[in-house]
């Protein structure tokens, strides 16, 4: 009896092993290939378009007589003749180079922009006595500018967040025209190639190994320009003169695209 029981157990065990051997075996899944991280290192060139605006600057005009402040009657020798609000579009090219170390990206970029950032002002104030008035109009125009900047950012694969700053240069042109009801007139122009500074921040995204899209904000400060003119009466020069300061400080936003070499 004991021999029969052992034989039965042996046959059952053999049958289970044979059944298990006939079961289909699940194939091992192939190892998923690792996707390479986006590489920001390299030289790039590109283009951009944007919009710029300056602060709503009050136009303060001083009048002098033989170099001294001219104060007479109701005229205190100085007046605010409206506000010059300079706005407009621009577009240009940029070139730069990035180096990536881990997720830190640093580099340098230069750009040149053709601009139409302009504005004007004008007002009429009481002058000296009675019904007399003095009128002043001004115009401003930033027609080109450019920057040379360092960049420092953090990469999140295809996204790059960065700050940027450096040297800015450009040309701002200003004009002033003055008239009063006594017959005095004045007109002056100032055009200067200025050097200043720039700070900004931006976001860049890798559309493809060679192409990136970026959005950027910059603040540019070119300092101030003195705009002055001598007054004439009947076409003859006088000892009177007017002068005003114009500041060239602008906010800009831009969208750009870059082509990266060697990727």
């Amino acid at each position: 009896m004991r021999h029969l029981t052992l034989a039965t157990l042996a046959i059952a065990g053999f049958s289970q092993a044979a059944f298990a051997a006939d079961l289909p075996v699940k194939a091992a899944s192939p190892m998923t290939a690792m996707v390479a991280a986006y590489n920001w290192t390299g030289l790039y060139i590109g283009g951009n378009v944007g919009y710029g605006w300056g602060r709503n600057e009050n136009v303060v005009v001083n009048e002098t007589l033989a170099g001294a402040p001219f104060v007479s009657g109701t005229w205190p020798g100085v007046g605010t003749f409206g506000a010059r609000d300079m706005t407009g579009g621009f577009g240009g090219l940029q070139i730069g180079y990035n180096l990536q170390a881990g997720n830190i990206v640093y580099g340098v970029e230069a750009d040149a922009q053709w601009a139409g950032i302009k504005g004007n002002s004008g007002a009429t104030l009481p002058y000296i006595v009675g019904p007399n008035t003095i009128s002043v109009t001004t115009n401003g125009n930033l027609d080109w500018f450019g920057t040379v900047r360092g960049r420092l950012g953090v990469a999140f694969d295809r996204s790059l967040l960065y700050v940027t700053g450096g040297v800015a240069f450009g040309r701002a042109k200003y004009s002033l025209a003055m008239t009063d009801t006594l017959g005095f007139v004045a007109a002056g122009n100032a055009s200067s190639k200025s050097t200043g500074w720039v700070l900004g921040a931006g976001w860049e995204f890798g559309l493809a190994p060679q192409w990136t899209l970026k959005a950027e904000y910059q603040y540019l400060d070119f300092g101030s320009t003195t705009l002055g003119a001598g007054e004439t009466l009947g076409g003859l020069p006088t000892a009177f003169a007017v002068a005003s300061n114009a500041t060239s400080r602008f906010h800009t936003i831009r969208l750009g695209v870059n082509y990266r070499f060697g990727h």
Side-chain angles (χ1 to χ4, degrees):
M1 184 66 178
R2 185 173 58 181
H3 295 294
L4 178 60
T5 301
L6 291 175
T8 302
L9 292 174
I11 293 171
F14 178 79
S15 299
Q16 290 178 357
F19 176 76
D22 291 336
L23 289 176
V25 178
K26 184 176 180 181
S29 58
M31 184 177 295
T32 303
M34 294 185 63
V35 178
Y38 198 78
N39 181 10
W40 289 94
T41 296
L43 176 71
Y44 62 88
I45 61 171
N48 69 86
V49 293
Y51 183 79
W53 67 97
R55 68 175 188 173
N56 200 19
E57 180 186 11
N58 289 329
V59 177
V60 178
V61 177
N62 293 275
E63 187 175 28
T64 58
L65 173 61
F70 174 66
V71 178
S72 178
T74 60
W75 174 242
V78 61
T80 300
F81 292 84
R84 185 172 48 247
D85 187 15
M86 295 178 63
T87 62
F90 63 89
L93 303 172
Q94 68 265 357
I95 183 171
Y97 190 86
N98 288 326
L99 284 172
Q100 184 171 359
N103 65 337
I104 302 300
V105 178
Y106 53 96
V108 63
E109 182 175 288
D111 67 89
Q113 311 293 335
W114 293 264
I117 302 174
K118 59 184 68 176
N120 54 66
S121 68
T124 299
L125 301 179
Y127 188 58
I128 301 180
V129 67
N132 291 303
T133 59
I134 181 171
S135 300
V136 174
T137 60
T138 71
N139 290 279
N141 180 25
L142 178 68
D143 56 4
W144 67 266
F145 67 94
T147 68
V148 177
R149 295 169 283 108
R151 297 206 316 169
L152 177 64
V154 180
F156 302 92
D157 195 17
R158 289 178 176 266
S159 285
L160 175 65
L161 298 175
Y162 62 89
V163 293
T164 184
V167 178
F169 48 90
R171 181 176 65 189
K173 294 189 274 188
Y174 297 95
S175 65
L176 176 150
M178 168 265 168
T179 61
D180 65 38
T181 52
L182 300 176
F184 289 82
V185 298
N189 296 279
S191 178
S192 63
K193 294 181 180 179
S194 301
T195 301
W197 55 268
V198 56
L199 287 176
W203 169 74
E204 194 166 355
F205 181 76
L207 298 172
Q210 293 83 18
W211 294 96
T212 66
L213 178 70
K214 73 171 185 175
E216 188 172 275
Y217 163 82
Q218 290 184 8
Y219 177 77
L220 303 104
D221 189 332
F222 297 107
S224 62
T225 300
T226 300
L227 180 61
E231 298 181 29
T232 62
L233 179 64
L236 299 176
T238 71
F240 289 93
V242 288
S244 180
N245 285 332
T247 58
S248 301
R249 300 184 178 99
F250 302 97
H251 304 270
T252 67
I253 53 174
R254 68 182 71 181
L255 292 175
V257 62
N258 289 326
Y259 177 83
R260 303 180 333 117
F261 295 93
H263 292 274

